[in-house]
Amino acid sequence: MRNALLGSATALALVAATPAPLRADASDAQVAAVIDEGLNRSEAMVTASQLMDGIGPRLTNSQNYRRAADWATARMAAIGLQNVHREGFDFGLGWNIESYRATMVSPRRIDLMAIPVAWSPPTDGVLRAGVVVAPMSKVEHFAAWKGKLAGKVVMISLPGATSESTKPVFQRFDDKQISEYDRYDLPSFDPATADRRAKRTNFPLELSRFLKAEGALAMIRISYRDGMLVHGEGYNYRPGETLALPAFEVAAEDYRRLVRLAAGGPAPEIELQLNARFDDSTLQAENLFGDITGSDPKAGYVMAGAHFDSWIAGDGAADNGAGSVVVLEAARILQRLGVKPRRTIRFALWAGEEQGLLGSRAYIERYLATRPVDPKLTGIAAYSAWSQAWPIAPKPGYAELKAYFNLDNGGGKVRGIYAENNIAAEPMLKKWLSPFEGMGASRVVTSKTGGTDHVYLQAIGLPGYQFIQDPLDYDSRVHHSNLDTLDHLRGDDLRQAATIMAAMLLQAANSDKDLPRMPLPSKPVPTDPFKVRDPDE
Amino acid sequence: MRNALLGSATALALVAATPAPLRADASDAQVAAVIDEGLNRSEAMVTASQLMDGIGPRLTNSQNYRRAADWATARMAAIGLQNVHREGFDFGLGWNIESYRATMVSPRRIDLMAIPVAWSPPTDGVLRAGVVVAPMSKVEHFAAWKGKLAGKVVMISLPGATSESTKPVFQRFDDKQISEYDRYDLPSFDPATADRRAKRTNFPLELSRFLKAEGALAMIRISYRDGMLVHGEGYNYRPGETLALPAFEVAAEDYRRLVRLAAGGPAPEIELQLNARFDDSTLQAENLFGDITGSDPKAGYVMAGAHFDSWIAGDGAADNGAGSVVVLEAARILQRLGVKPRRTIRFALWAGEEQGLLGSRAYIERYLATRPVDPKLTGIAAYSAWSQAWPIAPKPGYAELKAYFNLDNGGGKVRGIYAENNIAAEPMLKKWLSPFEGMGASRVVTSKTGGTDHVYLQAIGLPGYQFIQDPLDYDSRVHHSNLDTLDHLRGDDLRQAATIMAAMLLQAANSDKDLPRMPLPSKPVPTDPFKVRDPDE
């Protein structure tokens, strides 16, 4: 209802004469048909506007995530996918923002650019207090502030200095830059590092409990980008592990002004208001799935994926509405062409990626393989521990996933794909991308890339791949920030990416040979067998 | 009271032993003493924090401008300047913001990044209405919207597209870049252009009156920079010429989202609230002055200047708190050294620069020279007309101003000076800057530079000069925007600039010879005597 475009777009798809179904082998003619549908009749930007403009940010297990999930599954059904369904997994609390405000009220009135930290407790109405600049980054720093924080809003970050970046804000790769990824980095394994990572504690939680015990009223941190950008990432979403007091992130310019005023005279007073609600009605987050069923039940399946969840600043457009739209548009293109692939093609939209690839990991543990990770570990500790837990125990589904293609590097067009050090897979990946040389998308580079939902598949030896994309202004200013709106996507880039995603899926689904796999990983030996551990580590 | 630093800084100046007064000729030893005081005991950043953090933006003739003017004249007196005083000139209405807010309330709630247009009428409480996208940039566009705007908030700008700037955000000049300014551009005079400029109408006023007559409730325009930057410049400050309805500028990302939503479904509804007050208790804006009296009353005076007024976004730090602080710090350095210059050194802080160099023009017309401009002309029309009105009628003071140095290119350090096409002045300017070659500040380039308070002095043949400064992020994101805070200045750059300003003033004040002047300008002949005027112009 919010947006008439879905209706009209679907109508369009229905009235247009359906072309004859494509033959089951992925011929050049099929790829040409995919290109024609994907580039000349794209619905990518209309779909993107419905999701980003109409619905907006999608924090995992928030009401708005569920609203978006309803929209996405309706879209999958309208496209004509089969087996459209959701799968819940253990996550944590829902958290929904009604409104918030941060204002400096003395020595003068300034509305501060600020954002609550995700899963921050709400304020009790409007909180008004003086600030104290008390930077703390480890437990050892607490002692110096004992007895000095009662009734204060605590500024917990060092102010730092304004950036002097001489890099361009907006960028497209040239071949030379892409070639820098065409390398094989020697892997290294240091038991001490893995050990330390797995023991990583939840410092924000400890800090908030110390501040609460000291009678502080709230904590504010500085944004890690300047230019009035804010982000608001937070990881304390487990029941019983939420922050002990309200937490905000304040724009660098506004934070530093507070620091200077506090140094130059009486501490500024600020007002903080956060009207947010925790929701424990379900602790399950949901992944979304739809299939194009293959003709050969024994041939396994291929899968496209992107994470559907986002952070709370902006509309989650580049991270990762873009990937989500590409997955949905690739499905539409293939359905519109009536393809009858040999292998099933599965379209997945993941939850909980921003909290540690939780959705794709839940899928892996349910269907593909398990690793013996302490279930009490959360956040970065669990994220690191999972890839280092041995042995890997494959499940029956392990053999069935023949290829996974992930898109999660913003709104830039596809330039190629990372081979994840799988030398054996490179020729087939090159063949499948070769039709897109003219679109600048045919590069296959040897290196691995991380930070998104193909990682845990690679960690268990399954063929999970992530595309190379033009950076645009993703890293410079958009990633996780209040600039992550549809404005920072590009229609041309999105339809190119969706077209290539569709063609890769179709070729992988119809391929005579499976994409070569890596051997099942097992625990590596220490890279430096003679390393003496630094006692200060 | 707001800030303890002025107190302590003054105290420091008092307790420290006063050095022996410098001899009247500007020797290298004097410049060395200026460098020592300016670089080793700078008060520039402390002063800057008092003004930018403690007081903030200084819209001409606003309460906050007057608050800042009280602070600046107190600072001039504390430094020990003589003849500290203010001079009013005819300007227009005061305008003071209490609070404002812009929120999209349907299809979902988003606090919009927005700013009122300066001198916008307030809203009557909270205004709630649907938007209509009706881009209009000339009177001819009105007809298409007659009868379609009643009860609406009118979006008057074309949405455009997100920037793809590949320029670095932050920049320092290399010698090659500075050399590009070392050129003489042939002047050109086209009576038609001058004529057209002088006839330039006040389109925002006409548009607002049309919208009001149509029953529209408010107008919003798009920011001219993206990245959630806003500016809020407005020029309708004359009684009887204020906009007919409330006007806001909305960040590009938020504006374009509204446009897309309006195209895709029911028009979004927004709430606008602006609590602002016009103040007609005085229509005079005030320039600020202080002197170091010279020993030779017949030798005339030299002057440093910067505009003290700012726009309303940010704190007016780079534009032009930086220049104002440099002028005050140069005065402090020279007073601290107890200089006894031959010529009087005058320190000027101008008002109304952002509305067309109004403060410096008022000073010129009172003391230096007049031009026969239609007094009814305002804004850009008056700005253009003044330099083209003939003849110039010098006043007795015309002969007395021997040199004027302006600083208004942001917070970057001084790299040299523009010779304003005055070939005869270059050798003396080079000599005065030669001590600063090691600070990268000794370049004298031939070209002219515009847009600030030396312009009208040059327009009447007086020696008004503006320094070359490193750009930093002034043009890329800070100029007039909500990023114009102290964070985007640099302490090292400010103290270098103040030191050089002090040394230039001292050398000019003690120079045996006057800085060579250009001849008194008279009306040029048309550059193209055979030009046929385009009837569509």
Side-chain angles (χ1 to χ4, degrees):
Chain A
M1 303 78 75
R2 176 179 291 103
N3 196 313
L5 290 166
L6 174 56
S8 57
T10 318
L12 174 74
L14 295 177
V15 295
T18 307
L22 296 173
R23 295 187 325 286
D25 55 290
S27 65
D28 291 350
Q30 285 189 8
V31 173
V34 166
I35 290 171
D36 171 58
E37 178 63 24
L39 298 186
N40 295 317
R41 287 173 296 282
S42 177
E43 294 178 17
M45 279 305 264
V46 169
T47 310
S49 179
Q50 293 165 23
L51 179 59
M52 266 57 90
D53 298 328
I55 300 174
R58 303 167 301 280
L59 186 68
T60 298
N61 202 21
S62 65
Q63 273 177 353
N64 222 42
Y65 181 93
R66 290 174 187 283
R67 202 170 295 131
D70 292 341
W71 168 87
T73 45
R75 175 73 178 163
M76 286 179 172
I79 286 169
L81 296 184
Q82 299 100 59
N83 188 29
V84 173
H85 70 287
R86 313 174 179 206
E87 292 182 3
F89 62 90
D90 175 49
F91 172 72
L93 293 163
W95 183 76
N96 304 297
I97 303 177
E98 301 298 330
S99 65
Y100 60 91
R101 192 164 64 72
T103 310
M104 182 174 85
V105 290
S106 81
R108 60 187 173 103
R109 184 180 185 81
I110 304 174
D111 289 325
L112 302 173
M113 174 65 90
I115 190 168
V117 171
W119 288 284
S120 163
T123 59
D124 180 7
V126 175
L127 172 167
R128 179 179 175 135
V131 301
V132 55
V133 182
M136 290 177 261
S137 57
K138 51 186 178 183
V139 175
E140 293 66 25
H141 295 152
F142 292 172
W145 293 103
K146 267 200 150 309
K148 299 175 183 168
L149 305 176
K152 303 291 187 192
V153 170
V154 183
M155 299 175 64
I156 62 173
S157 311
L158 287 165
T162 314
S163 67
E164 299 191 353
S165 170
T166 53
K167 291 210 211 95
V169 172
F170 187 93
Q171 194 194 356
R172 290 193 181 275
F173 279 139
D174 56 32
D175 275 350
K176 189 174 156 303
Q177 290 167 303
I178 295 176
S179 296
E180 287 163 16
Y181 297 102
D182 194 10
R183 61 171 201 272
Y184 195 117
D185 297 323
L186 291 184
S188 76
F189 174 63
D190 176 358
T193 312
D195 195 33
R196 198 167 55 250
R197 285 224 189 94
K199 288 207 178 70
R200 187 90 61 95
T201 59
N202 188 334
F203 180 72
L205 180 59
E206 295 181 65
L207 175 57
S208 72
R209 287 172 175 172
F210 167 71
L211 297 181
K212 180 75 171 181
E214 289 292 309
L217 302 182
M219 55 199 260
I220 61 179
R221 72 186 190 203
I222 192 171
S223 170
Y224 54 83
R225 283 194 186 101
D226 60 18
M228 288 289 178
L229 301 184
V230 292
H231 310 82
E233 301 98 332
Y235 300 88
N236 292 85
Y237 51 85
R238 302 283 301 178
E241 293 178 12
T242 55
L243 296 177
L245 38 66
F248 280 76
E249 176 181 318
V250 171
E253 285 84 356
D254 285 343
Y255 188 97
R256 295 189 188 114
R257 187 198 291 106
L258 288 167
V259 169
R260 290 188 300 267
L261 286 169
E269 283 199 311
I270 68 174
E271 286 182 354
L272 296 175
Q273 181 254 326
L274 170 58
N275 178 4
R277 291 176 300 93
F278 287 109
D279 176 4
D280 61 3
S281 61
T282 172
L283 301 181
Q284 295 255 305
E286 293 185 323
N287 296 324
L288 316 178
F289 301 95
D291 295 349
I292 296 176
T293 309
S295 58
D296 177 354
K298 295 189 195 60
Y301 67 100
V302 300
M303 182 159 60
H307 71 87
F308 196 57
D309 65 301
S310 76
W311 285 113
I312 54 178
D315 294 335
D319 191 15
N320 189 15
S324 302
V325 166
V326 162
V327 167
L328 291 171
E329 175 68 358
R332 186 199 67 80
I333 293 167
L334 295 174
Q335 275 297 112
R336 179 75 184 76
L337 295 174
V339 298
K340 304 281 180 236
R342 177 169 157 242
R343 299 181 183 85
T344 289
I345 303 175
R346 178 159 298 163
F347 302 89
L349 297 176
W350 309 114
E353 190 270 357
E354 296 293 0
Q355 290 76 36
L357 319 183
L358 302 180
S360 52
R361 195 170 86 207
Y363 181 88
I364 288 170
E365 297 201 313
R366 181 171 302 173
Y367 298 108
L368 305 179
T370 58
R371 306 185 80 149
V373 178
D374 175 352
K376 287 192 304 298
L377 289 179
T378 59
I380 184 70
Y383 177 82
S384 312
W386 200 86
S387 303
Q388 296 299 332
W390 310 98
I392 295 167
K395 297 197 160 193
Y398 187 84
E400 294 168 18
L401 178 58
K402 304 301 186 181
Y404 172 79
F405 299 109
N406 195 78
L407 193 121
D408 183 24
N409 276 346
K413 69 179 179 181
V414 169
R415 302 300 308 278
I417 200 161
Y418 298 91
E420 299 287 327
N421 291 355
N422 186 345
I423 304 305
E426 288 191 19
M428 205 173 282
L429 292 171
K430 283 195 173 114
K431 176 167 167 290
W432 293 343
L433 278 177
S434 60
F436 302 100
E437 187 164 7
M439 298 183 201
S442 59
R443 297 292 304 274
V444 176
V445 300
T446 298
S447 69
K448 297 173 80 72
T449 187
T452 184
D453 291 300
H454 70 295
V455 164
Y456 287 142
L457 289 172
Q458 283 291 336
I460 59 173
L462 288 180
Y465 294 97
Q466 155 96 341
F467 291 101
I468 303 165
Q469 296 173 256
D470 273 337
L472 310 188
D473 52 0
Y474 188 59
D475 295 330
S476 64
R477 59 179 186 171
V478 171
H479 181 249
H480 291 190
S481 84
N482 49 321
L483 294 191
D484 192 3
T485 66
L486 188 55
D487 266 35
H488 296 273
L489 305 187
R490 293 288 180 280
D492 287 351
D493 291 52
L494 273 189
R495 61 188 170 134
Q496 183 256 26
T499 301
I500 292 170
M501 176 68 89
M504 292 296 277
L505 290 166
L506 186 58
Q507 294 176 100
N510 286 337
S511 172
D512 308 333
K513 287 203 249 68
D514 289 352
L515 196 57
R517 297 184 171 197
M518 302 287 277
L520 181 70
S522 55
K523 186 169 188 174
V525 300
T527 309
D528 175 2
F530 309 110
K531 183 177 182 188
V532 177
R533 184 164 180 174
D534 177 346
D536 286 342
E537 264 180 7
Chain B
M1 304 79 79
R2 176 178 291 106
N3 196 315
L5 290 166
L6 173 55
S8 58
T10 319
L12 174 74
L14 294 177
V15 296
T18 307
L22 295 174
R23 297 186 324 286
D25 56 293
S27 65
D28 291 350
Q30 285 191 6
V31 173
V34 166
I35 290 171
D36 171 58
E37 178 64 24
L39 297 187
N40 294 318
R41 288 174 297 282
S42 176
E43 294 179 15
M45 279 305 264
V46 170
T47 310
S49 180
Q50 292 166 25
L51 179 60
M52 265 59 89
D53 299 329
I55 300 174
R58 303 166 302 280
L59 186 69
T60 299
N61 202 20
S62 66
Q63 273 178 354
N64 221 42
Y65 181 94
R66 291 174 185 283
R67 202 170 294 130
D70 292 342
W71 168 87
T73 47
R75 175 73 180 167
M76 286 178 171
I79 285 167
L81 297 185
Q82 299 102 56
N83 188 29
V84 173
H85 70 288
R86 312 174 179 206
E87 292 182 2
F89 60 92
D90 175 48
F91 172 71
L93 293 162
W95 183 76
N96 304 296
I97 303 178
E98 301 297 328
S99 65
Y100 61 91
R101 193 164 63 73
T103 310
M104 182 175 85
V105 289
S106 80
R108 59 187 174 103
R109 184 183 183 81
I110 303 174
D111 289 325
L112 302 173
M113 174 64 91
I115 190 167
V117 171
W119 288 283
S120 164
T123 58
D124 179 7
V126 176
L127 172 166
R128 179 180 176 134
V131 300
V132 54
V133 182
M136 290 176 261
S137 57
K138 51 186 178 185
V139 174
E140 292 68 22
H141 294 153
F142 292 172
W145 294 102
K146 269 199 148 306
K148 299 176 182 169
L149 305 176
K152 302 291 187 190
V153 170
V154 183
M155 299 175 63
I156 62 173
S157 312
L158 286 165
T162 313
S163 67
E164 299 190 353
S165 170
T166 53
K167 290 210 211 96
V169 172
F170 186 93
Q171 194 193 359
R172 290 193 181 275
F173 279 140
D174 57 31
D175 275 350
K176 188 174 154 302
Q177 290 167 303
I178 295 176
S179 297
E180 287 163 16
Y181 297 102
D182 194 9
R183 61 171 200 272
Y184 195 117
D185 296 324
L186 292 183
S188 75
F189 174 63
D190 176 358
T193 311
D195 196 34
R196 201 168 50 250
R197 284 223 188 96
K199 287 208 178 67
R200 187 89 61 97
T201 59
N202 189 334
F203 180 71
L205 180 59
E206 296 181 65
L207 175 57
S208 73
R209 287 172 175 172
F210 167 71
L211 298 181
K212 179 76 172 180
E214 290 292 309
L217 302 181
M219 54 198 260
I220 61 180
R221 73 187 190 202
I222 191 170
S223 170
Y224 54 83
R225 284 194 186 100
D226 60 19
M228 288 288 178
L229 301 185
V230 292
H231 309 83
E233 300 98 333
Y235 300 88
N236 292 83
Y237 52 84
R238 302 284 301 178
E241 294 178 12
T242 55
L243 296 177
L245 38 65
F248 280 76
E249 176 181 319
V250 171
E253 285 83 354
D254 285 343
Y255 188 98
R256 295 190 188 115
R257 189 199 289 107
L258 288 168
V259 170
R260 289 188 300 264
L261 286 169
E269 282 198 313
I270 67 174
E271 286 182 354
L272 296 175
Q273 180 255 326
L274 170 57
N275 179 3
R277 290 176 301 92
F278 287 109
D279 177 4
D280 60 2
S281 61
T282 172
L283 301 181
Q284 296 254 304
E286 294 186 325
N287 296 324
L288 315 178
F289 300 95
D291 294 349
I292 297 175
T293 309
S295 57
D296 177 353
K298 296 190 196 56
Y301 67 99
V302 300
M303 181 160 61
H307 70 88
F308 197 55
D309 65 301
S310 77
W311 284 113
I312 55 179
D315 294 336
D319 190 17
N320 188 16
S324 303
V325 166
V326 162
V327 166
L328 291 170
E329 174 67 358
R332 186 199 69 79
I333 293 166
L334 295 173
Q335 276 296 111
R336 179 75 185 75
L337 297 173
V339 298
K340 305 278 181 246
R342 176 167 159 244
R343 299 181 182 86
T344 290
I345 303 175
R346 177 159 298 162
F347 303 89
L349 298 176
W350 309 114
E353 190 270 354
E354 297 293 1
Q355 291 76 38
L357 319 183
L358 301 180
S360 52
R361 197 171 86 207
Y363 181 88
I364 288 170
E365 297 199 312
R366 182 172 299 171
Y367 298 108
L368 305 179
T370 58
R371 307 186 79 149
V373 178
D374 176 352
K376 289 193 303 299
L377 288 180
T378 58
I380 184 70
Y383 178 83
S384 312
W386 200 86
S387 302
Q388 296 300 333
W390 311 97
I392 296 168
K395 295 196 160 191
Y398 186 84
E400 293 169 16
L401 178 57
K402 303 302 186 180
Y404 171 79
F405 299 110
N406 195 78
L407 193 120
D408 183 24
N409 276 347
K413 69 179 179 181
V414 169
R415 303 299 309 277
I417 199 161
Y418 299 90
E420 299 287 328
N421 291 355
N422 186 344
I423 304 305
E426 288 192 18
M428 206 174 279
L429 293 171
K430 283 196 173 111
K431 177 166 167 291
W432 293 344
L433 278 176
S434 60
F436 302 101
E437 188 166 4
M439 298 183 201
S442 60
R443 296 293 303 274
V444 176
V445 299
T446 298
S447 69
K448 298 174 81 69
T449 186
T452 184
D453 291 301
H454 72 295
V455 164
Y456 287 140
L457 289 171
Q458 283 290 338
I460 58 173
L462 288 180
Y465 294 97
Q466 155 95 341
F467 291 102
I468 303 165
Q469 296 172 253
D470 274 337
L472 310 187
D473 51 0
Y474 187 60
D475 294 330
S476 63
R477 60 179 185 172
V478 172
H479 181 250
H480 292 190
S481 83
N482 49 323
L483 294 191
D484 192 3
T485 66
L486 188 54
D487 265 37
H488 297 272
L489 304 187
R490 293 287 180 282
D492 287 351
D493 291 51
L494 273 189
R495 62 189 168 133
Q496 183 257 26
T499 300
I500 292 170
M501 176 68 88
M504 292 296 278
L505 289 166
L506 187 57
Q507 294 178 100
N510 287 335
S511 172
D512 307 334
K513 290 203 246 62
D514 289 351
L515 197 56
R517 297 183 171 198
M518 302 289 276
L520 182 69
S522 55
K523 186 168 187 173
V525 299
T527 310
D528 176 1
F530 309 110
K531 183 177 182 188
V532 177
R533 184 163 179 174
D534 177 348
D536 288 341
E537 261 182 8

